[in-house]
Each structure stands twice: as C-alpha cells, then as structure tokens.
Amino acid sequence: MVGSAIIRGLQKQGQTNIITKTHAELDLTNQLNVRSFFEIEKPDQVYLAAAKVGGIHANNTYPAEFIYQNLMIEANVIDAAFQNGIKKLLFLGSSCIYPKLAEQPMREDFLLTGLLEPTNEPYAIAKIAGIKLCESYSRQYGESHGIDYRSVMPTNLYGTGDNYHAENSHVIPALIRRINEAKQQNKSKVTVWGTGTPRREFLHVDDMATASIHVMNMDESEYKAHTSPMCSHINVGSGTDITIKELVETIANVINYQGAIEFDTSKPDGAPRKLMDSSRLNSLGWQHEINLAKGLESTYLDYCKMYLGH
Ligand SMILES: NC(=O)c1ccc[n+]([C@@H]2O[C@H](COP(=O)([O-])OP(=O)(O)OC[C@H]3O[C@@H](n4cnc5c(N)ncnc54)[C@H](OP(=O)(O)O)[C@@H]3O)[C@@H](O)[C@H]2O)c1
C-alpha cells in the first residue's frame, strides 16, 4: 500500500526513473540477492517500505517471522545501500515503537522510555532496530561518506491498495468490508467489538507518501536542526484522533448503510488512546491534506472498483 502510494507521489512530481521489485522478484531477507540488486541498479535514493506486516493475530502467532524477517530486510537493505554509495535512504517504521503506556500524544523522544505492547513487541523491536540502523550509519558515515539515512513513523494508514482480508485487515478496511456486506445483504445491524470509546488517529496513504517524499528531500541543515543524531526519526500523523464509534458512523454514512450499529462491550478495547505528536514534521513544512471523511469516500470507491467490479 505505502510503496505504491510513494510511487504515485513521485510520478506526480515528474519522476520517471523509479526502480521497483516485487517480493517474488527480490526477497529482501536474502543478503546476496539484495547486494547484487544494489550493485546492478545503484539507485540515487531508497524508500524502504517493504516489511512483514500484520494484525494482532498474525503478530501473536508468528513472532519469530516478524522479528527475523524485518531485521533481515532492514539490515540487508541499509547495509547494501551504504556499500554501494547510496547517500539517501528513508526507512518506514511504525507508531508501535512507542511504549504501551506512553503519554499522549506520543513525541519522538518517548522512544525507549518504557515497555512495549507485548502482542507486537518482536515487530516493534525490529522497527526500532531499523531506526537505529539509519541513525548509526548516518552517525558513523555521515561526514566521511555523506550518508544521510532518515526514518519516518506512520500512524494508522488507510486508502488505495489496503488489505481487505476477512481476518487480517486493519480497522478501516475491516469496517468497510463488513458494513458494505451488511448493506448488500440487507442486515438490520452490524456488531462492532468493544465499547467504541477508544480514540485512534488515521492518515490517508497518499498523505503518507507526500510526507515520505518531503522528509527524503528535505534540506540536510533543516533536517538536522529539527532532529538529533540519536533521536532522528519523525512522526507522521494527521494530528487528530476520533473515537471508534465516530469512525464507524462516518464509514456507515459513506456507504449509506441505514441499519443499526451495535457495540459488543464484552470484547476488548485495546489502548484508550493512540495519537502521535507530529509537530516536528509540521514545523518542517508538511501538513496532511486529505480529511478523514473525504479519504474514506475515495477509499470506498476504490474498494467497490477492486472487489465489487463497479
Ligand atoms: N498500513 C499501516 O497502517 C502502517 C502503519 C504504520 C507503519 N506502516 C509501515 O509502512 C510500511 C508499508 O506498509 P504497508 O501497509 O504498505 O504494507 P503492505 O501493503 O503489506 O506492503 C509491504 C510490502 O512489503 C513486501 N515484502 C514483505 N516481505 C518482503 C521481503 N522479504 N522481500 C521483499 N518484499 C517484501 C510485501 O510483499 P508481499 O505482500 O508479497 O509479502 C508488500 O508488498 C511497512 O514498513 C509498515 O510497517 C504501515
């Protein structure tokens, strides 16, 4: 989802020489293949959006795969980029790098100040390692080799190219799918897990792409003025959160579902609030552009085109 959005964003800016590889063409956990890719292609810049991703269930069931594959992808790509003289790289992390009980909104300097959420700790540790790889290469080789590797931490993303898998999707695609099915099947109600009171932040993936391109191309002195060598990552969010109840109502409205929404309060809620502090990026000149209602409308149209053929 994010990689494709970055490609669309770069193409919009007139960039034509973009090298991509599918997972089937290049397994980034394979060090030899990654090295030979970089030796042949020698790109000017690298956006590292590839990762093994998944929801709570997948993270809990396959913790070894989540930590191993993500560590390998990051270590292979970042080192091969360095070995081949690539000066600019952007690594995509995640908001789950922050402690489970972090104060809200979460600032960049809250990293490594407390225990992580246990369900996705292996994934989060790998993402933290990705940040520290970028930082360490920049610190050690910044002056001598001009290395400038940066990282961005996206909040919850949604939009074009999302995963609508029945069991393994994030909250927005899962709700779009379920509410749309309820509408098609004339169901009188949809049941949503939890109380509906937790607050979450969402960002459209096209905004994530503009943020990524902005951070990648930002002037080095400006970037350095707003970060520090050992706290160099940048949060990317919309800056506002809404309750799950408000989210469900907005999606039902976009889909024009007239049935009732019921909350199953016997089911777990998760953290009461998860909001990133994106003021660092805002002060570096980026703002999100797509508000949630508009973003959900276009996302629903995409869903209809992709899965319903209209
Ligand atoms: N979506 C969100 O809400 C969100 C939030 C925070 C952070 N992020 C971060 O944003 C980045 C992109 O996420 P996304 O939502 O765009 O996920 P996505 O759509 O699943 O994209 C990840 C891509 O990485 C590829 N990949 C996985 N393992 C690989 C390997 N060993 N070699 C080569 N390619 C591999 C996947 O290919 P296959 O599908 O073929 O395996 C997929 O194309 C990730 O780093 C993720 O942690 C996403």
Side-chain angles (χ1 to χ4, degrees):
M1 172 167 72
V2 182
S4 303
I6 293 173
I7 293 168
R8 290 195 299 277
L10 289 169
Q11 285 169 337
K12 246 192 200 163
Q13 296 188 351
Q15 186 62 251
T16 50
N17 196 3
I18 304 167
I19 306 158
T20 60
K21 288 277 181 224
T22 63
H23 190 170
E25 289 167 339
L26 177 63
D27 179 356
L28 297 171
T29 63
N30 183 314
Q31 190 180 47
L32 275 181
N33 291 352
V34 173
R35 283 190 176 169
S36 101
F37 166 81
F38 277 98
E39 277 159 22
I40 295 165
E41 300 289 358
K42 296 213 183 289
D44 295 319
Q45 299 185 335
V46 177
Y47 289 88
L48 178 49
K52 168 132 183 103
V53 300
I56 294 177
H57 179 70
N59 269 277
N60 253 336
T61 318
Y62 311 109
E65 292 177 27
F66 275 84
I67 192 161
Y68 173 76
Q69 292 183 23
N70 284 311
L71 285 171
M72 291 302 283
I73 291 171
E74 295 155 10
N76 288 343
V77 170
I78 291 168
D79 187 65
F82 168 66
Q83 298 295 344
N84 286 283
I86 292 139
K87 297 191 167 45
K88 305 220 64 170
L89 178 145
L90 187 79
F91 168 69
L92 274 87
S94 163
S95 60
C96 69
I97 58 157
Y98 293 113
K100 180 185 163 125
L101 300 176
E103 208 181 290
Q104 303 291 318
M106 298 179 288
R107 284 202 322 259
E108 285 87 351
D109 60 328
F110 293 176
L111 180 64
L112 295 173
T113 58
L115 294 175
L116 298 163
E117 161 64 43
T119 46
N120 58 14
E121 187 196 67
Y123 172 78
I125 293 276
K127 289 293 190 187
I128 294 170
I131 298 172
K132 294 298 165 189
L133 275 162
C134 290
E135 269 174 13
S136 304
Y137 277 72
S138 293
R139 285 170 58 213
Q140 186 170 344
Y141 304 117
E143 296 237 323
S144 56
H145 294 70
I147 294 301
D148 185 359
Y149 294 172
R150 304 175 179 179
S151 50
V152 281
M153 302 302 122
T155 187
N156 302 303
L157 305 172
Y158 71 97
T160 313
D162 213 338
N163 163 20
Y164 290 89
H165 191 276
E167 287 129 39
N168 197 18
S169 52
H170 291 131
V171 58
I172 288 183
L175 285 170
I176 289 179
R177 185 190 161 118
R178 290 191 42 223
I179 295 175
N180 190 65
E181 276 172 8
K183 184 185 167 190
Q184 286 184 321
Q185 295 163 11
N186 286 320
K187 287 194 178 159
S188 59
K189 65 172 186 190
V190 168
T191 305
V192 178
W193 276 27
T195 60
T197 55
R199 302 185 71 85
R200 293 289 182 273
E201 179 187 23
F202 299 98
L203 184 76
H204 192 279
V205 69
D206 287 345
D207 276 331
M208 182 63 216
T210 63
S212 302
I213 297 167
H214 185 84
V215 172
M216 171 70 96
N217 294 320
M218 185 186 298
D219 183 69
E220 194 178 343
S221 57
E222 205 186 355
Y223 174 73
K224 282 191 170 160
H226 287 82
T227 57
S228 65
M230 293 186 74
C231 183
S232 67
H233 58 289
I234 298 181
N235 290 344
V236 186
S238 61
T240 46
D241 54 358
I242 61 165
T243 65
I244 295 297
K245 183 168 186 284
E246 287 165 330
L247 175 69
V248 178
E249 286 166 357
T250 312
I251 293 175
N253 199 24
V254 166
I255 296 180
N256 195 19
Y257 174 67
Q258 310 284 348
I261 308 287
E262 193 181 78
F263 288 90
D264 180 353
T265 54
S266 69
K267 295 289 194 293
D269 259 348
R273 191 173 189 209
K274 277 195 82 181
L275 176 65
M276 307 262 264
D277 181 332
S278 298
S279 51
R280 180 179 262 188
L281 183 55
N282 298 149
S283 63
L284 283 160
W286 177 89
Q287 294 287 341
H288 81 289
E289 282 182 358
I290 305 169
N291 76 39
L292 187 62
K294 273 232 156 68
L296 287 172
E297 275 171 28
S298 63
T299 302
Y300 179 56
L301 288 178
D302 278 340
Y303 172 77
C304 293
K305 264 189 233 148
M306 270 186 71
Y307 294 93
L308 313 175
H310 58 80

